[in-house]
Amino acid sequence: MIQPAKSTRERLLHAVLYESGAMLILVPLGSWLLGHGPAQMGVLAIMLSTIAMCWNMLFGALFEQLERRLGWQRTVRVRTLHAVLFEGGLVFICVPLVAWWMGISYWQALLLDIGILLFFLPYTYVFNWVYDQARAQLKTA
């Protein structure tokens, strides 16, 4: 199905729901796995979430323009491309911030970011699929 364009308000709602769900999972998990306090992980999560929300809105708008221009439908292949490109952009943006905040090398930050990426690839796919299904149901109701 070709998705109609989202308003700025809907993009903001989408981004807030996406990031809130991720933070509810990742802050306690990251704190436990990395041995850092929840406050340090929480602040890092808020910084990364803010970056990710801005990237989400910008990338989403650009990707949807590309979808409409090329007449793409949201197939498994298109959803996979969306998730990979979105997360790849975040890795490029966030590794320096993670290295600085955690006091680790870029290599360690990259490895940590890869771990986060391994969470977010399926999370992004599933979240957007559920969101699109709910959106379609609300539009037809």
Side-chain angles (χ1 to χ4, degrees), residues 27-48:
V27 168
L29 182 63
S31 182
W32 176 67
L33 287 174
L34 300 173
H36 291 278
Q40 184 180 16
M41 293 305 297
V43 171
L44 178 62
I46 289 169
M47 289 188 291
L48 295 176

PDB file of all heavy atoms in Angstrom, residues 27-48:
ATOM      1  N   VAL A  27      17.004   1.841  28.500  1.00  0.00           N
ATOM      2  CA  VAL A  27      17.662   2.444  29.672  1.00  0.00           C
ATOM      3  C   VAL A  27      17.899   1.403  30.762  1.00  0.00           C
ATOM      4  O   VAL A  27      19.032   1.237  31.225  1.00  0.00           O
ATOM      5  CB  VAL A  27      16.906   3.682  30.196  1.00  0.00           C
ATOM      6  CG1 VAL A  27      17.430   4.121  31.561  1.00  0.00           C
ATOM      7  CG2 VAL A  27      17.025   4.830  29.193  1.00  0.00           C
ATOM      8  N   PRO A  28      16.878   0.669  31.185  1.00  0.00           N
ATOM      9  CA  PRO A  28      17.160  -0.348  32.214  1.00  0.00           C
ATOM     10  C   PRO A  28      18.096  -1.455  31.717  1.00  0.00           C
ATOM     11  O   PRO A  28      18.988  -1.901  32.445  1.00  0.00           O
ATOM     12  CB  PRO A  28      15.792  -0.929  32.570  1.00  0.00           C
ATOM     13  CG  PRO A  28      14.779  -0.152  31.841  1.00  0.00           C
ATOM     14  CD  PRO A  28      15.460   0.760  30.878  1.00  0.00           C
ATOM     15  N   LEU A  29      17.915  -1.872  30.467  1.00  0.00           N
ATOM     16  CA  LEU A  29      18.759  -2.931  29.910  1.00  0.00           C
ATOM     17  C   LEU A  29      20.213  -2.468  29.801  1.00  0.00           C
ATOM     18  O   LEU A  29      21.135  -3.183  30.204  1.00  0.00           O
ATOM     19  CB  LEU A  29      18.227  -3.355  28.542  1.00  0.00           C
ATOM     20  CG  LEU A  29      18.957  -4.491  27.844  1.00  0.00           C
ATOM     21  CD1 LEU A  29      18.855  -5.773  28.661  1.00  0.00           C
ATOM     22  CD2 LEU A  29      18.378  -4.704  26.452  1.00  0.00           C
ATOM     23  N   GLY A  30      20.433  -1.265  29.286  1.00  0.00           N
ATOM     24  CA  GLY A  30      21.789  -0.719  29.152  1.00  0.00           C
ATOM     25  C   GLY A  30      22.459  -0.514  30.480  1.00  0.00           C
ATOM     26  O   GLY A  30      23.653  -0.792  30.648  1.00  0.00           O
ATOM     27  N   SER A  31      21.718  -0.016  31.447  1.00  0.00           N
ATOM     28  CA  SER A  31      22.260   0.192  32.790  1.00  0.00           C
ATOM     29  C   SER A  31      22.716  -1.135  33.391  1.00  0.00           C
ATOM     30  O   SER A  31      23.806  -1.239  33.962  1.00  0.00           O
ATOM     31  CB  SER A  31      21.195   0.839  33.668  1.00  0.00           C
ATOM     32  OG  SER A  31      21.685   1.090  34.948  1.00  0.00           O
ATOM     33  N   TRP A  32      21.908  -2.151  33.235  1.00  0.00           N
ATOM     34  CA  TRP A  32      22.221  -3.468  33.775  1.00  0.00           C
ATOM     35  C   TRP A  32      23.406  -4.104  33.041  1.00  0.00           C
ATOM     36  O   TRP A  32      24.341  -4.603  33.670  1.00  0.00           O
ATOM     37  CB  TRP A  32      20.978  -4.357  33.672  1.00  0.00           C
ATOM     38  CG  TRP A  32      21.199  -5.770  34.115  1.00  0.00           C
ATOM     39  CD1 TRP A  32      21.463  -6.203  35.378  1.00  0.00           C
ATOM     40  CD2 TRP A  32      21.168  -6.922  33.276  1.00  0.00           C
ATOM     41  NE1 TRP A  32      21.606  -7.574  35.381  1.00  0.00           N
ATOM     42  CE2 TRP A  32      21.427  -8.040  34.104  1.00  0.00           C
ATOM     43  CE3 TRP A  32      20.955  -7.127  31.930  1.00  0.00           C
ATOM     44  CZ2 TRP A  32      21.460  -9.340  33.606  1.00  0.00           C
ATOM     45  CZ3 TRP A  32      20.987  -8.418  31.455  1.00  0.00           C
ATOM     46  CH2 TRP A  32      21.240  -9.504  32.287  1.00  0.00           C
ATOM     47  N   LEU A  33      23.399  -4.063  31.714  1.00  0.00           N
ATOM     48  CA  LEU A  33      24.459  -4.707  30.933  1.00  0.00           C
ATOM     49  C   LEU A  33      25.805  -3.999  31.032  1.00  0.00           C
ATOM     50  O   LEU A  33      26.853  -4.650  31.055  1.00  0.00           O
ATOM     51  CB  LEU A  33      24.059  -4.789  29.455  1.00  0.00           C
ATOM     52  CG  LEU A  33      22.995  -5.800  29.083  1.00  0.00           C
ATOM     53  CD1 LEU A  33      22.601  -5.654  27.624  1.00  0.00           C
ATOM     54  CD2 LEU A  33      23.463  -7.222  29.367  1.00  0.00           C
ATOM     55  N   LEU A  34      25.792  -2.658  31.077  1.00  0.00           N
ATOM     56  CA  LEU A  34      27.043  -1.899  31.043  1.00  0.00           C
ATOM     57  C   LEU A  34      27.550  -1.489  32.420  1.00  0.00           C
ATOM     58  O   LEU A  34      28.652  -0.961  32.541  1.00  0.00           O
ATOM     59  CB  LEU A  34      26.881  -0.653  30.160  1.00  0.00           C
ATOM     60  CG  LEU A  34      26.517  -0.961  28.709  1.00  0.00           C
ATOM     61  CD1 LEU A  34      26.199   0.322  27.962  1.00  0.00           C
ATOM     62  CD2 LEU A  34      27.634  -1.728  28.022  1.00  0.00           C
ATOM     63  N   GLY A  35      26.742  -1.694  33.440  1.00  0.00           N
ATOM     64  CA  GLY A  35      27.175  -1.375  34.784  1.00  0.00           C
ATOM     65  C   GLY A  35      27.237   0.118  35.077  1.00  0.00           C
ATOM     66  O   GLY A  35      27.921   0.534  36.010  1.00  0.00           O
ATOM     67  N   HIS A  36      26.564   0.921  34.303  1.00  0.00           N
ATOM     68  CA  HIS A  36      26.477   2.357  34.566  1.00  0.00           C
ATOM     69  C   HIS A  36      25.143   2.634  35.229  1.00  0.00           C
ATOM     70  O   HIS A  36      24.166   1.911  35.024  1.00  0.00           O
ATOM     71  CB  HIS A  36      26.595   3.162  33.277  1.00  0.00           C
ATOM     72  CG  HIS A  36      27.953   3.103  32.662  1.00  0.00           C
ATOM     73  ND1 HIS A  36      28.994   3.904  33.080  1.00  0.00           N
ATOM     74  CD2 HIS A  36      28.457   2.329  31.674  1.00  0.00           C
ATOM     75  CE1 HIS A  36      30.072   3.636  32.367  1.00  0.00           C
ATOM     76  NE2 HIS A  36      29.773   2.671  31.511  1.00  0.00           N
ATOM     77  N   GLY A  37      25.111   3.695  36.014  1.00  0.00           N
ATOM     78  CA  GLY A  37      23.879   4.045  36.699  1.00  0.00           C
ATOM     79  C   GLY A  37      22.771   4.417  35.725  1.00  0.00           C
ATOM     80  O   GLY A  37      23.033   4.858  34.608  1.00  0.00           O
ATOM     81  N   PRO A  38      21.548   4.250  36.179  1.00  0.00           N
ATOM     82  CA  PRO A  38      20.421   4.609  35.324  1.00  0.00           C
ATOM     83  C   PRO A  38      20.419   6.092  34.943  1.00  0.00           C
ATOM     84  O   PRO A  38      19.971   6.440  33.856  1.00  0.00           O
ATOM     85  CB  PRO A  38      19.184   4.266  36.156  1.00  0.00           C
ATOM     86  CG  PRO A  38      19.655   3.477  37.312  1.00  0.00           C
ATOM     87  CD  PRO A  38      21.130   3.644  37.430  1.00  0.00           C
ATOM     88  N   ALA A  39      20.942   6.953  35.812  1.00  0.00           N
ATOM     89  CA  ALA A  39      20.973   8.387  35.497  1.00  0.00           C
ATOM     90  C   ALA A  39      21.895   8.646  34.305  1.00  0.00           C
ATOM     91  O   ALA A  39      21.526   9.370  33.368  1.00  0.00           O
ATOM     92  CB  ALA A  39      21.409   9.201  36.706  1.00  0.00           C
ATOM     93  N   GLN A  40      23.113   8.068  34.324  1.00  0.00           N
ATOM     94  CA  GLN A  40      24.042   8.268  33.217  1.00  0.00           C
ATOM     95  C   GLN A  40      23.471   7.682  31.927  1.00  0.00           C
ATOM     96  O   GLN A  40      23.540   8.301  30.867  1.00  0.00           O
ATOM     97  CB  GLN A  40      25.408   7.648  33.510  1.00  0.00           C
ATOM     98  CG  GLN A  40      26.420   7.935  32.418  1.00  0.00           C
ATOM     99  CD  GLN A  40      27.793   7.333  32.684  1.00  0.00           C
ATOM    100  OE1 GLN A  40      27.952   6.462  33.515  1.00  0.00           O
ATOM    101  NE2 GLN A  40      28.786   7.812  31.951  1.00  0.00           N
ATOM    102  N   MET A  41      22.889   6.507  32.013  1.00  0.00           N
ATOM    103  CA  MET A  41      22.295   5.885  30.836  1.00  0.00           C
ATOM    104  C   MET A  41      21.056   6.662  30.386  1.00  0.00           C
ATOM    105  O   MET A  41      20.805   6.799  29.189  1.00  0.00           O
ATOM    106  CB  MET A  41      21.927   4.428  31.111  1.00  0.00           C
ATOM    107  CG  MET A  41      23.121   3.522  31.348  1.00  0.00           C
ATOM    108  SD  MET A  41      24.342   3.537  30.021  1.00  0.00           S
ATOM    109  CE  MET A  41      23.398   2.906  28.665  1.00  0.00           C
ATOM    110  N   GLY A  42      20.306   7.164  31.341  1.00  0.00           N
ATOM    111  CA  GLY A  42      19.106   7.932  31.008  1.00  0.00           C
ATOM    112  C   GLY A  42      19.434   9.219  30.274  1.00  0.00           C
ATOM    113  O   GLY A  42      18.776   9.563  29.289  1.00  0.00           O
ATOM    114  N   VAL A  43      20.460   9.938  30.748  1.00  0.00           N
ATOM    115  CA  VAL A  43      20.863  11.177  30.075  1.00  0.00           C
ATOM    116  C   VAL A  43      21.379  10.865  28.672  1.00  0.00           C
ATOM    117  O   VAL A  43      21.034  11.560  27.702  1.00  0.00           O
ATOM    118  CB  VAL A  43      21.898  11.964  30.906  1.00  0.00           C
ATOM    119  CG1 VAL A  43      22.469  13.127  30.120  1.00  0.00           C
ATOM    120  CG2 VAL A  43      21.270  12.460  32.206  1.00  0.00           C
ATOM    121  N   LEU A  44      22.196   9.819  28.558  1.00  0.00           N
ATOM    122  CA  LEU A  44      22.672   9.418  27.232  1.00  0.00           C
ATOM    123  C   LEU A  44      21.490   9.058  26.335  1.00  0.00           C
ATOM    124  O   LEU A  44      21.431   9.459  25.171  1.00  0.00           O
ATOM    125  CB  LEU A  44      23.642   8.242  27.329  1.00  0.00           C
ATOM    126  CG  LEU A  44      24.167   7.700  25.992  1.00  0.00           C
ATOM    127  CD1 LEU A  44      24.967   8.772  25.250  1.00  0.00           C
ATOM    128  CD2 LEU A  44      25.021   6.454  26.224  1.00  0.00           C
ATOM    129  N   ALA A  45      20.545   8.321  26.885  1.00  0.00           N
ATOM    130  CA  ALA A  45      19.369   7.924  26.103  1.00  0.00           C
ATOM    131  C   ALA A  45      18.579   9.152  25.644  1.00  0.00           C
ATOM    132  O   ALA A  45      18.101   9.190  24.510  1.00  0.00           O
ATOM    133  CB  ALA A  45      18.480   6.995  26.921  1.00  0.00           C
ATOM    134  N   ILE A  46      18.455  10.152  26.508  1.00  0.00           N
ATOM    135  CA  ILE A  46      17.733  11.371  26.124  1.00  0.00           C
ATOM    136  C   ILE A  46      18.477  12.108  25.016  1.00  0.00           C
ATOM    137  O   ILE A  46      17.866  12.574  24.052  1.00  0.00           O
ATOM    138  CB  ILE A  46      17.493  12.278  27.350  1.00  0.00           C
ATOM    139  CG1 ILE A  46      16.454  11.628  28.268  1.00  0.00           C
ATOM    140  CG2 ILE A  46      17.054  13.679  26.925  1.00  0.00           C
ATOM    141  CD1 ILE A  46      16.330  12.279  29.635  1.00  0.00           C
ATOM    142  N   MET A  47      19.816  12.185  25.122  1.00  0.00           N
ATOM    143  CA  MET A  47      20.596  12.841  24.069  1.00  0.00           C
ATOM    144  C   MET A  47      20.438  12.090  22.746  1.00  0.00           C
ATOM    145  O   MET A  47      20.169  12.696  21.706  1.00  0.00           O
ATOM    146  CB  MET A  47      22.076  12.926  24.454  1.00  0.00           C
ATOM    147  CG  MET A  47      22.361  13.917  25.558  1.00  0.00           C
ATOM    148  SD  MET A  47      24.124  14.189  25.869  1.00  0.00           S
ATOM    149  CE  MET A  47      24.650  12.624  26.563  1.00  0.00           C
ATOM    150  N   LEU A  48      20.609  10.771  22.804  1.00  0.00           N
ATOM    151  CA  LEU A  48      20.489   9.971  21.581  1.00  0.00           C
ATOM    152  C   LEU A  48      19.066  10.003  21.040  1.00  0.00           C
ATOM    153  O   LEU A  48      18.854  10.054  19.825  1.00  0.00           O
ATOM    154  CB  LEU A  48      20.937   8.534  21.839  1.00  0.00           C
ATOM    155  CG  LEU A  48      22.408   8.341  22.188  1.00  0.00           C
ATOM    156  CD1 LEU A  48      22.696   6.879  22.524  1.00  0.00           C
ATOM    157  CD2 LEU A  48      23.317   8.839  21.086  1.00  0.00           C
TER     158      LEU A  48
END
